[in-house]
Amino acid sequence: MRLRYLAPIFFTLLLSGCGESYTPGNLYMAATPECKTWQEGSRFELPRGMSVATTPPVTLPEGGAEFTFVYILPRGERARFLTRDYNVTAPKGAVLHKAELVTLYQRTTNSRPEIVDSIPKVPDMFVASAAGEETLWRVRVRVKAKLPQRFDVVAPAFEIGLKEYPMRTFTYRYFPERKAFGLCS
């Protein structure tokens, strides 16, 4: 008789332990509308110990830029891209440009990088290698067209463990004193 009353409590406790606790950080990098402060880098934590990081882009002579994103996945993990587009947008606005893939390489933290130089698009999925504690993917994309003084780059969102997760929108502006585009907050 007692078991009948305890069973709902037991199953509630059991199921609550199965859920994954993940609260994303700021999905939009800029802390102020002016976005005046230079940032050396930005790292966005994802569930299951995954993350994506970026640093200031390389400003191209014709006004475009090359952006690098480093994805880190622990051994045994995988993440599927919901799209393959790296979009440059007006601040919280419409798409201005789609960045083109320049290079992609993958390596474990204890191995040398393997360059992949002729890949037409970002792969469907990243799968961590069993050969190292973590696997890194370095994705470099480029926009040749002249970029505005302030813009965002929206990296593709992920599906991790059959659940969709948003990605941070990285914010950029032109810093005249540095004569370069940079991450800003």
Side-chain angles (χ1 to χ4, degrees):
M1 193 67 127
R2 283 185 171 171
L3 188 58
R4 180 171 35 151
Y5 296 108
L6 293 176
I9 295 170
F10 174 73
F11 284 115
T12 302
L13 291 172
L14 181 66
L15 291 175
S16 67
C18 295
E20 189 172 323
S21 174
Y22 169 73
T23 304
N26 277 341
L27 291 174
Y28 192 72
M29 189 179 153
T32 64
E34 302 81 26
C35 205
K36 289 184 178 180
T37 307
W38 175 275
Q39 297 292 131
E40 286 301 321
S42 178
R43 182 180 176 117
F44 184 66
E45 300 295 332
L46 291 156
R48 299 184 179 189
M50 298 178 203
S51 65
V52 60
T54 190
T55 56
V58 174
T59 303
L60 301 175
E62 56 277 350
E66 287 187 356
F67 305 89
T68 300
F69 296 89
V70 177
Y71 296 87
I72 302 169
L73 276 68
R75 177 185 289 145
E77 293 296 339
R78 64 182 178 178
R80 184 179 70 84
F81 283 106
L82 296 178
T83 72
R84 292 185 193 97
D85 298 330
Y86 287 80
N87 292 322
V88 175
T89 67
K92 294 185 179 182
V95 174
L96 303 173
H97 305 284
K98 289 190 181 294
E100 65 178 303
L101 181 64
V102 178
T103 60
L104 169 77
Y105 77 68
Q106 171 226 339
R107 69 180 181 97
T108 59
T109 51
N110 59 347
S111 67
R112 292 180 38 202
E114 297 178 23
I115 298 293
V116 179
D117 58 1
S118 60
I119 183 168
K121 60 185 177 183
V122 174
D124 294 336
M125 179 182 294
F126 287 153
V127 179
S129 171
E133 289 299 314
E134 294 179 318
T135 302
L136 304 143
W137 280 269
R138 183 178 173 266
V139 177
R140 190 167 53 124
V141 296
R142 175 188 307 139
V143 174
K144 292 179 184 175
K146 185 171 176 53
L147 293 167
Q149 294 292 306
R150 167 85 165 72
F151 59 91
D152 297 333
V153 175
V154 182
F158 274 143
E159 179 186 276
I160 301 168
L162 302 176
K163 186 173 177 187
E164 294 181 6
Y165 292 94
M167 186 61 66
R168 168 174 283 162
T169 296
F170 297 96
T171 55
Y172 299 85
R173 73 182 277 271
Y174 187 76
F175 288 87
E177 67 279 8
R178 295 175 184 251
K179 296 182 181 169
F181 288 111
L183 289 160
C184 63
S185 62

